[in-house]
Amino acid sequence: MRAPAVWALVLTSAAGFMAALDNLVVTTALPAIREELGGGLEELEWTVNAYTLAFAVLLMFGAALGDRFGRRRLFMSGLAVFTGASAAAALSPGIDELIAARAVQGVGAAVMMPLTLTLLTAAVPAARRGTALGIFGAVSGLAVASGPLIGGTLTEHASWQWIFWLNVPVGLALIPLARLKLAESTAPNSRLDVPGTLLVSGGLFGIVYGLVNADSHGWTSAPVLTALIAGTALVGAFVHHGFRHPNPMLPMRLFRRRGFLGINAASLLMYLGMFGSIFLLSQFLQGVAGYSPTEAGVRMLPWTAMPMFVAPVAGILSDRIGGRPVVAAGLALQALGLGWFALVLSADVSYAAQLPALILSGIGMALYFAPASNVLMSTVSPADQGRASGANNALREVGGALGVAVLASVFSARGGYGSPQAFTDGTVPALWIGAAAVAVAAAFALLVPGKGKTSPATPAPAAPAPAPAPAAPAAPGRAAPRTAGVRVR
């Protein structure tokens, strides 16, 4: 790859690593945060979900902002907000302030993250795009998987605040490098969909709020029922809006493509099962098995380190045989790993009994992460790639927020923090639900067209103005002035 493409891969991967890391880096630190700042299960859930929810509901809006005002400019702005909010989280004096700072972190990540794939895709030649996106996916997957290890090590040997301080020097270094090394681009005639943003934000917040508070208030209580019903209604209105609005933030026509529907449904369910399970397992290793934060992270290495070895091979393999079998196999192995955990988990379970589940989950995660981004981009036209990236990232984060809320709700109904046995009693049924969600994700992955086939596309509504005449081919060694509806300056 040429130098601009290499720089784009390095910078977007580093930014993506930070954003993905903060999804789960806090999980191993939850016992220390609970001890120092106080709070019960609901507050611990919001420490995770304030980030994932803000991240999820604003991702598509962040992609639209980049299309409208400049992708590099908004990428840098998102980095600045994320970095500042990380410092605020580290300085938080109480649990409420920490939750608020985590929400602002999510806003910054929502602006930054969807533009990483768009900037990378535009910078890398099509012949190398599969490998580049495979590396990007592997780095993001490694960040998610290594979050508990990094969080545990920093929590034990420094303090839990350092899981947030870590972002500050990295963010400050990336901002000027992005200004110097990334090309600016916009999407012509892009428009912001404010009504769509309000509908999906309110709807997802209502659903997650209802799930998080269901155990303490009761499923039939007025606040919980109101939140769930109103949230579902607003999400339904958002779907209707996506079909009817002339320029929605998420065109629902994209879901008429079998491949786009399959990979997005698989992503949502994968994150639901994985995030919710790691939220509980990272606490199980400390609260029940008795390991320190660092020891817990080290014992997760068969899971967390596996993407480093498997993901690069998976990216190359997906270029040769297609992404569908690789993604589907990865999800099946991840489901098998979570099911193994549920079978062997007990208050006195040995580490050796957990080891096969850790290895299977690590291999499965790597096989999914490496080709997933390339599979997604292959299901849409270049003009829709910005929105497709935002939609996929949003659905992943929605899955993560729902996973923590749903599995924690099951945990509360069947167990609790009262004793090691109570914690185990709550964790086991939650893990079975996580495994089932990922197994369904594997079935959805089979909807993705195989190698050499294209997803049946639904054409976009015709523009009122006639299409311009085809441009002459660019001279060798010179870039064409426009590509795929993207203006580059």
Side-chain angles (χ1 to χ4, degrees), residues 215-285:
D215 183 65
S216 59
H217 295 289
W219 286 95
T220 58
S221 66
V224 169
L225 280 180
T226 300
L228 291 174
I229 293 171
T232 303
L234 288 173
V235 170
F238 172 73
V239 172
H240 182 265
H241 174 83
F243 280 115
R244 306 290 295 181
H245 195 273
N247 190 37
M249 65 186 299
L250 178 57
M252 291 298 160
R253 59 179 171 81
L254 295 177
F255 288 95
R256 293 172 179 162
R257 304 181 183 186
R258 191 183 73 189
F260 187 80
L261 172 64
I263 191 62
N264 279 288
S267 296
L268 184 147
L269 290 167
M270 160 67 173
Y271 271 63
L272 190 155
M274 184 188 68
F275 267 54
S277 298
I278 291 179
F279 175 79
L280 294 172
L281 286 172
S282 61
Q283 296 182 73
F284 176 89
L285 289 174

Side-chain angles (χ1 to χ4, degrees), residues 153-210:
T153 301
L154 291 173
T155 299
E156 182 175 354
H157 297 289
S159 68
W160 64 263
Q161 286 88 349
W162 277 98
I163 65 179
F164 302 114
W165 283 126
L166 183 67
N167 296 326
V168 176
V170 179
L172 292 176
L174 288 178
I175 292 171
L177 285 173
R179 175 67 181 83
L180 293 172
K181 300 298 184 181
L182 296 178
E184 182 62 285
S185 65
T186 60
N189 305 317
S190 60
R191 297 288 185 272
L192 299 179
D193 181 13
V194 176
T197 302
L198 295 175
L199 286 172
V200 72
S201 300
L204 292 175
F205 178 82
I207 292 172
V208 173
Y209 178 88

Side-chain angles (χ1 to χ4, degrees), residues 38-379:
L41 179 62
E42 290 178 26
E43 285 77 18
L44 294 181
E45 288 181 67
W46 279 116
T47 302
V48 177
N49 278 345
Y51 179 83
T52 56
L53 192 58
F55 195 176
V57 301
L58 294 175
L59 266 168
M60 289 177 281
F61 193 61
L65 286 172
D67 289 345
R68 175 69 178 83
F69 297 109
R71 290 161 181 155
R72 182 185 64 186
R73 180 183 303 167
L74 266 294
F75 175 75
M76 293 166 57
S77 299
L79 263 173
V81 172
F82 182 87
T83 303
S86 296
L91 295 170
S92 297
I95 192 71
D96 293 335
E97 291 83 1
L98 176 60
I99 291 171
R102 289 281 288 165
V104 178
Q105 263 193 311
V107 173
V111 175
M112 171 181 67
M113 191 63 180
L115 302 176
T116 56
L117 277 181
T118 311
L119 290 165
L120 180 60
T121 301
V124 177
R128 300 291 183 90
R129 198 166 291 155
T131 301
L133 290 174
I135 294 171
F136 178 89
V139 171
S140 297
L142 179 62
V144 172
S146 62
L149 173 60
I150 294 173
T153 301
L154 291 173
T155 299
E156 182 175 354
H157 297 289
S159 68
W160 64 263
Q161 286 88 349
W162 277 98
I163 65 179
F164 302 114
W165 283 126
L166 183 67
N167 296 326
V168 176
V170 179
L172 292 176
L174 288 178
I175 292 171
L177 285 173
R179 175 67 181 83
L180 293 172
K181 300 298 184 181
L182 296 178
E184 182 62 285
S185 65
T186 60
N189 305 317
S190 60
R191 297 288 185 272
L192 299 179
D193 181 13
V194 176
T197 302
L198 295 175
L199 286 172
V200 72
S201 300
L204 292 175
F205 178 82
I207 292 172
V208 173
Y209 178 88
L211 290 171
V212 168
N213 289 280
D215 183 65
S216 59
H217 295 289
W219 286 95
T220 58
S221 66
V224 169
L225 280 180
T226 300
L228 291 174
I229 293 171
T232 303
L234 288 173
V235 170
F238 172 73
V239 172
H240 182 265
H241 174 83
F243 280 115
R244 306 290 295 181
H245 195 273
N247 190 37
M249 65 186 299
L250 178 57
M252 291 298 160
R253 59 179 171 81
L254 295 177
F255 288 95
R256 293 172 179 162
R257 304 181 183 186
R258 191 183 73 189
F260 187 80
L261 172 64
I263 191 62
N264 279 288
S267 296
L268 184 147
L269 290 167
M270 160 67 173
Y271 271 63
L272 190 155
M274 184 188 68
F275 267 54
S277 298
I278 291 179
F279 175 79
L280 294 172
L281 286 172
S282 61
Q283 296 182 73
F284 176 89
L285 289 174
Q286 294 180 65
V288 177
Y291 298 121
S292 70
T294 302
E295 290 171 340
V298 168
R299 280 160 177 76
M300 294 284 281
L301 277 177
W303 189 348
T304 61
M306 200 61 67
M308 290 190 293
F309 304 104
V310 178
V313 177
I316 296 170
L317 188 63
S318 69
D319 281 342
R320 294 184 178 179
I321 66 173
R324 179 177 67 179
V326 180
V327 170
L331 292 169
L333 288 174
Q334 178 72 81
L336 185 60
L338 293 178
W340 195 302
F341 267 121
L343 280 173
V344 304
L345 216 61
S346 65
D348 57 351
V349 63
S350 67
Y351 178 69
Q354 301 174 60
L355 192 57
L358 292 166
I359 294 172
L360 285 173
S361 297
I363 295 173
M365 184 185 293
L367 290 176
Y368 163 79
F369 275 124
S373 296
N374 197 30
V375 168
L376 169 74
M377 291 304 188
S378 70
T379 65

